[in-house]
Amino acid sequence: MTNIFPSRRAPVPREQRPLKVLLVDDDMLLLRTTQRLLARDGYDVVTCGSGAEALIRVAAHAFDVVISDLDMPLIGGLKLLRALREREPELPVLLMTGRPEVESAASAIEHGALQYLIKPVAPERLVQAIEAAAHARRQHTVVDSPDAREESWTTRAIVRPDGSLFGHELRSTCERGPSDFSRLAAHLQELAHDAPLPCFIRHQTLDFAQAPHPALGPLANRIVIQLSDLSLSTLDDARHQAARLRQLGFRLCLDQLGTGYGTLTTFTALEPEFVKLAPSLVTDIHLSATKQKVVASLITLAHEMEQSVIADGLLAEEDKATLVVLGCQLLQGPLVGAEAALLSH
């Protein structure tokens, strides 16, 4: 794709300041109204009336969240989204439309829109979406320095629809993935209980096989490598590394299906044994026919490829019931199990 950004200055680090939101819409009345509402809630809002102007703004200033209308002339929401993904893959983008269609929703998900909002968007719903987007970005900020505090671990349950425990997700304070493999092996043994349940280990690359601790080898059949923020050099290389990991006994899970790095391209290249639906697709799915159609399509595709689907970020019983009806096999989130700290060894 042709780079339609002007040259960009160095990004400004976020300190103690209001969230800076770029609001893009060719409806001037809606633009002004939404700006006033968000400013009243304490956001620093910059507005522009076209996708072209938005690209100039993003090139010149650092934003925490971009909210764009889908249907605009010349550079619409999807084209703007693709351009932003090339330049700033971690910048959260929310798309709004008054004409929801399954095709546009699927395209938005494929290119990494964090949320797909249907107009008119209630002010409290928009604020919730902005805060969720900002939180997601902070969660994926890598802080991994030599003098970082000692690595600690938390665990989250993954359950079946009937509430029975399927497995655990282990997460370390090192955002790229575990660094203390001796402690990881000890935690895996600790979580064995009466049966060797699967343990999902979050990692950002496919080089998990280079883990420098021999204790992981005998445990490989219990480890599911949960790939997050994945950057692929080539699809052929990704397929090769995925095959090598499986030869060692590991299984793969593609995290956040429905966001920028959990794309259908990655999904088909890696053919993971598990996929996790992004929380943005899970939240309020019982209220959105469009989300239900998109998720139903993803679940059908996964089942045809003999993959298990995990709905992540589950908060409401109504969403759980909808996902189970759609065929989701596994559930995760505050509704079914809170995050808990693991003791150090």
Side-chain angles (χ1 to χ4, degrees):
M1 174 179 174
T2 303
N3 183 12
I4 53 181
F5 275 95
S7 59
R8 176 179 169 78
R9 65 174 178 79
V12 177
R14 171 167 167 75
E15 299 173 349
Q16 297 299 319
R17 58 176 174 80
L19 288 175
K20 191 164 187 176
V21 177
L22 179 63
L23 186 61
V24 190
D25 204 311
D26 59 346
D27 184 331
M28 293 298 108
L29 177 60
L30 180 62
L31 199 64
R32 288 194 295 270
T33 302
T34 308
Q35 180 187 30
R36 285 197 297 269
L37 289 170
L38 293 179
R40 185 187 64 191
D41 283 316
Y43 297 104
D44 179 5
V45 184
V46 175
T47 64
C48 50
S50 69
E53 184 184 352
L55 293 173
I56 294 172
R57 294 277 191 176
V58 171
H61 302 281
F63 292 94
D64 298 298
V65 182
V66 174
I67 306 171
S68 176
D69 185 36
L70 189 66
D71 304 305
M72 296 183 294
L74 298 180
I75 299 179
L78 283 177
K79 189 172 183 180
L80 173 62
L81 172 62
R82 288 193 293 268
L84 292 174
R85 278 291 156 266
E86 282 206 345
R87 184 73 183 202
E88 292 197 45
E90 293 185 0
L91 177 61
V93 179
L94 313 178
L95 290 182
M96 302 186 298
T97 181
R99 298 185 299 172
E101 299 172 349
V102 174
E103 291 78 9
S104 61
S107 295
I109 290 167
E110 169 68 14
H111 291 97
L114 196 62
Q115 297 222 26
Y116 183 86
L117 305 170
I118 310 302
K119 292 181 178 179
V121 184
E124 60 272 16
R125 179 72 183 91
L126 189 56
V127 167
Q128 182 188 48
I130 292 170
E131 293 297 325
H135 176 73
R137 188 176 195 181
R138 287 193 294 268
Q139 288 293 100
H140 293 111
T141 299
V142 176
V143 181
D144 193 9
S145 60
D147 58 349
R149 71 182 190 277
E150 184 180 6
E151 184 175 13
S152 60
W153 297 77
T154 58
T155 180
R156 292 198 301 158
I158 300 172
V159 306
R160 300 179 182 88
D162 64 3
S164 61
L165 184 64
F166 172 81
H168 306 272
E169 177 191 342
L170 271 69
R171 181 172 297 195
S172 84
T173 50
C174 295
E175 282 296 314
R176 289 189 61 83
S179 61
D180 187 340
F181 292 98
S182 176
R183 186 173 298 170
L184 169 59
H187 284 317
L188 289 171
Q189 296 286 9
E190 175 189 339
L191 291 170
H193 300 297
D194 297 328
L197 300 175
C199 285
F200 291 67
I201 312 297
R202 190 175 182 211
H203 212 258
Q204 286 189 348
T205 69
L206 281 164
D207 64 359
F208 196 87
Q210 306 303 319
H213 198 281
L216 289 183
L219 300 171
N221 64 343
R222 289 188 52 207
I223 296 175
V224 181
I225 305 169
Q226 183 172 306
L227 298 166
S228 174
D229 294 343
L230 183 64
S231 296
L232 301 177
S233 52
T234 67
L235 292 182
D236 285 342
D237 182 53
R239 293 187 187 97
H240 173 74
Q241 291 188 63
R244 180 167 56 88
L245 288 167
R246 289 191 177 96
Q247 287 177 349
L248 294 170
F250 297 104
R251 288 174 288 174
L252 301 180
C253 173
L254 180 60
D255 197 8
Q256 302 280 306
L257 183 64
T259 64
Y261 50 89
T263 66
L264 295 179
T265 300
T266 312
F267 174 80
T268 53
L270 298 181
E271 297 185 2
E273 285 79 7
F274 299 88
V275 292
K276 278 193 176 184
L277 298 175
S280 58
L281 284 176
V282 171
T283 302
D284 292 335
I285 190 172
H286 72 284
L287 299 175
S288 172
T290 302
K291 280 187 180 181
Q292 291 172 30
K293 291 176 182 177
V294 172
V295 168
S297 298
L298 293 173
I299 289 176
T300 298
L301 176 61
H303 288 179
E304 289 176 353
M305 298 176 69
E306 298 184 347
Q307 298 163 335
S308 297
V309 178
I310 305 168
D312 195 8
L314 198 58
L315 296 169
E317 287 286 354
E318 296 88 347
D319 292 332
K320 174 184 174 182
T322 300
L323 288 158
V324 171
V325 168
L326 293 175
C328 192
Q329 302 147 311
L330 299 169
L331 309 167
Q332 187 176 25
L335 181 69
V336 298
E339 185 173 82
L342 287 172
L343 297 175
S344 299
H345 289 267

